[in-house]
């Protein structure tokens, strides 16, 4: 029997449970592996000067990301509700305050904001499936692929249409519910994406510029690393692991009691990091080999890969497959971004999952036009971090996720009593002590230190 839960009964979730440990790992990996690995990681590495940024990113993933992910899962499984209700419940149960619900709210809002731009970029991948399949890139030169991408971003009609299409697809799966919807979507995507990246790696190794790419990624030059880049590296670690906003908490709510949280987290972190590093190793040699700009920003992947694939035999086919897989990866991530808000609307306002998915999805769809227009009509509207898109991205990845992650670590490490966390993490052995040290001290202090230095 459990010491700390009202009534001593293990709670179950309203939304059903994962059918197995593997299903949970697949779902969390599906949420983690997405545009963050293949689209965002290479472009932020490129904008922030390479090696030193990658090093800070890796340190953040393992020293901060891992313990925060474990904290999120254990909080989620203990509460078995949407992130807002879980934080409120555990806040009271652990003798603190119901105000912890605001941490859940921060996450729900972050998820909505992230998906508003995520869906737009995912829409780009849908367009690139069609472009690839119709041979747009066959034999194209670097200048042609770049020009095509620039023209594409300016096309408000198409980019609005594909954003709308992607949100529709997301709403559809979210409406179908946890087991049928999420599990089926993630089962094949991650292994297929991994194989595709390895095929592309073969191409980049033979490109003649592999060493240049590797050097860019792994030779740290700390003179290029200001506090803003350190914050961007930390933000990227949160973003790519899907942590800091309660999504993993929401998934943890559906996790069977006996699953090892440390084991599941390690699997996800390693899979996610490998795919990001692979993406970098594929993309940077191609950038240098074709005289493209490393700091091209959000368009980077949409320029390098079509170019490389367009020059390969069977390129149209591989390029089509690649963008299909990328769209799938984005899709499984989008589900996770919506889950906290949808679970909250279902539990709190008695909506059906379908109604909740349509309402939340509709709001996100509307907000997404801020990003659609950031690349054309409103590209000159700049404030604080840049365009509307730049600001939504900066606010979420660099502020809301780290802040959320810090508070999650503080809650699990300081507010929850030892018995509760040891119970969820399966005893108080070495792994438990390492987690507790990281969650109590390293993660919160590290996050705060970086935030303060970058913002002041
Ligand atoms: N990790 C996702 C990616 O790399 C993006 C993401 C951030 C996310 N937070 C999330 C996905 C929460 C699902 C849930 O593309």
């Amino acid at each position: 029997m459990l010491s700390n839960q009202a009534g001593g009964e293990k709670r179950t979730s309203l939304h059903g449970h994962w059918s197995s440990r593997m299903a949970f790992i697949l779902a969390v990996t599906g949420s983690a592996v997405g545009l963050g690995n293949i689209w965002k990681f290479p472009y932020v590495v490129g904008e922030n000067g390479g090696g030193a940024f990658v090093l800070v990113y890796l340190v953040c993933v393992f020293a901060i990301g891992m313990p925060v992910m474990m904290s999120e899962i254990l909080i989620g499984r203990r509460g078995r509700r949407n992130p807002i209700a879980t934080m409120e419940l555990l806040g009271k149960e652990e003798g603190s305050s119901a105000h912890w619900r605001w941490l859940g709210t921060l996450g729900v809002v972050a998820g909505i904001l992230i998906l508003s731009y995520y869906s737009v970029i995912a829409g780009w991948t849908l367009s690139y499936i069609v472009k690839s399949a119709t041979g747009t890139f066959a034999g194209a030169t670097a200048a042609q692929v770049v020009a095509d991408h620039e023209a594409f971003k300016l096309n408000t009609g198409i980019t609005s249409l594909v954003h709308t299409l992607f949100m529709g697809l997301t709403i559809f799966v979210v409406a179908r519910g946890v087991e049928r919807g999420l599990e089926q979507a993630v089962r094949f995507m991650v292994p297929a994406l991994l194989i595709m990246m390895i095929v592309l790696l073969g191409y980049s190794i033979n490109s003649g510029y592999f060493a240049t790419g590797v050097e860019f990624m792994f030779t740290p030059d700390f003179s290029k690393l200001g506090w803003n880049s350190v914050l961007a590296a930390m933000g990227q670690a949160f973003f790519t692991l899907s942590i800091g906003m309660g999504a993993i908490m929401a998934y943890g709510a559906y996790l069977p009691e006996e699953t090892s949280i440390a084991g599941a987290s390690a699997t996800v972190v390693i899979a996610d990091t490998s795919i990001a590093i692979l993406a970098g190793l594929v993309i940077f040699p191609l950038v240098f080999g074709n005289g493209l700009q490393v700091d091209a920003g959000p368009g980077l992947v949409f320029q390098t890969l079509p170019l490389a694939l367009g020059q390969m035999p069977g390129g149209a086919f591989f390029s089509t497959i690649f963008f299909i897989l990328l769209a799938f990866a984005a899709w499984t991530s989008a589900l996770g971004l919506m889950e906290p808000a949808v679970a909250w609307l279902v539990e709190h306002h008695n909506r059906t999952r379908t109604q909740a998915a349509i309402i939340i999805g509709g709001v996100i769809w509307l907000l997404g036009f801020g990003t659609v227009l950031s690349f054309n009509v409103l590209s000159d509207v700049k404030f604080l971090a840049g365009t509307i898109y730049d600001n939504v991205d900066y606010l979420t990845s660099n502020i809301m996720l780290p802040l959320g992650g810090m508070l999650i670590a503080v809650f699990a490490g300081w507010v929850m009593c030892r018995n509760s966390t040891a119970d969820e993490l399966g005893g108080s052995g070495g792994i438990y002590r390492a987690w507790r040290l990281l969650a109590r001290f390293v993660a919160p202090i590290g996050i705060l230190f970086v935030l303060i230095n970058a913002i002041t």
Side-chain angles (χ1 to χ4, degrees):
M1 180 146 348
L2 276 156
S3 50
N4 230 338
Q5 285 180 353
E9 289 284 310
K10 287 279 185 185
R11 280 185 277 269
T12 53
S13 164
L14 200 73
H15 307 270
H17 288 99
W18 303 107
S19 60
S20 65
R21 166 175 182 273
M22 196 56 199
F24 172 76
I25 291 182
L26 277 169
V28 179
T29 310
S31 100
V33 174
L35 295 173
N37 306 61
I38 290 169
W39 160 72
K40 201 170 187 196
F41 177 72
Y43 106 67
V44 291
V45 171
E47 282 182 341
N48 289 282
F53 179 91
V54 173
L55 191 67
V56 175
Y57 161 81
L58 289 174
V59 170
C60 289
V61 162
F62 289 98
I64 298 177
M66 267 289 282
V68 170
M69 180 176 284
M70 289 169 66
S71 307
E72 252 193 62
I73 302 175
L74 81 85
I75 292 172
R77 184 165 71 183
R78 204 155 181 88
R80 293 251 188 250
R81 284 161 173 72
N82 72 77
I84 298 179
T86 286
M87 288 312 306
E88 177 169 344
L89 174 76
L90 295 189
K92 286 189 281 194
E93 194 169 273
E94 297 286 342
S96 180
S97 151
H99 285 306
W100 280 100
R101 85 167 84 84
W102 292 106
L103 174 54
T105 311
L106 178 76
V108 167
V109 174
I112 289 172
L113 289 175
I114 292 174
L115 188 50
S116 81
Y117 74 77
Y118 203 87
S119 166
V120 175
I121 310 296
W124 293 7
T125 67
L126 295 179
S127 281
Y128 272 67
I129 296 174
V130 178
K131 280 177 183 285
S132 303
T134 53
T136 310
F137 308 119
T141 63
Q144 285 167 336
V145 175
V146 172
D148 182 76
H149 182 69
E150 294 305 323
F152 169 74
K153 279 192 299 195
L154 292 175
N155 191 331
T156 318
I158 296 280
T159 48
S160 302
L161 181 76
V162 287
H163 160 56
T164 306
L165 187 62
F166 185 81
M167 272 320 295
L169 289 169
T170 304
I171 292 170
F172 173 72
V173 178
V174 170
R176 295 185 63 197
V178 178
E179 301 218 335
R180 278 180 305 156
L182 306 192
E183 274 188 51
Q184 281 168 21
V186 292
R187 202 148 234 141
F188 296 105
M189 189 275 302
V190 176
L193 196 63
L194 204 60
I195 292 169
M196 189 74 202
M197 294 311 290
I198 291 170
V199 170
L200 287 171
L201 184 67
Y203 179 82
S204 102
I205 289 175
N206 288 319
S207 68
Y209 284 83
F210 191 65
T212 319
V214 170
E215 193 188 320
F216 177 73
M217 268 183 82
F218 295 112
T219 313
D221 173 358
F222 287 100
S223 68
K224 289 187 189 154
L225 201 75
W227 279 108
N228 259 321
S229 293
V230 175
L231 178 60
M234 187 170 81
Q236 174 62 17
F238 277 92
F239 183 85
T240 192
L241 297 176
S242 307
I243 54 178
M245 53 155 280
I248 303 295
M249 202 184 282
Y251 279 11
Y254 318 136
L255 183 63
E257 218 47 66
E258 61 284 355
T259 307
S260 153
I261 290 178
S265 303
T267 312
V268 173
V269 168
I270 288 168
D272 186 80
T273 310
S274 313
I275 293 188
I277 298 289
L278 262 175
L281 288 176
V282 167
I283 283 164
F284 289 115
L286 299 175
V287 170
F288 294 117
N290 292 290
L292 298 170
Q293 300 292 329
V294 264
D295 57 356
L300 189 66
V301 182
F302 294 94
Q303 298 171 355
T304 43
L305 287 181
L307 175 63
L309 289 161
Q311 293 164 354
M312 266 164 80
F317 173 75
F318 279 112
S319 183
T320 309
I321 301 283
F322 174 80
F323 283 108
I324 289 176
L325 289 174
L326 189 54
F328 258 102
W331 198 14
T332 57
S333 298
L335 308 176
L337 284 162
M338 247 176 98
E339 187 59 29
V342 168
W344 169 76
L345 211 56
V346 169
E347 286 170 38
H348 214 258
H349 294 278
N350 276 323
R351 298 285 173 175
T352 64
R353 257 190 98 84
T354 305
Q355 288 170 333
I358 291 171
I359 296 168
I360 302 283
V363 170
I364 294 170
W365 174 74
L366 274 180
L367 289 173
F369 285 93
T371 292
V372 168
L373 301 177
S374 291
F375 292 99
N376 38 64
V377 181
L378 301 180
S379 60
D380 289 330
V381 177
K382 292 198 172 145
F383 52 102
L384 302 171
T387 60
I388 297 172
Y389 158 69
D390 292 325
N391 278 290
V392 178
D393 174 39
Y394 188 92
L395 176 69
T396 50
S397 293
N398 293 6
I399 312 241
M400 294 174 90
L401 299 185
L403 204 63
M406 184 181 82
L407 293 171
I408 286 166
V410 166
F411 188 82
W414 294 94
V415 174
M416 289 179 79
C417 71
R418 220 167 192 288
N419 284 344
S420 313
T421 50
D423 177 39
E424 292 297 333
L425 293 179
S428 46
I431 292 179
Y432 179 76
R433 285 200 300 274
W435 167 78
R436 204 160 142 94
L437 182 76
L438 292 171
R440 282 166 75 95
F441 301 101
V442 178
I445 295 171
I447 296 167
L448 200 62
F449 187 72
V450 175
L451 274 176
I452 289 173
N453 272 297
I455 286 164
T456 53

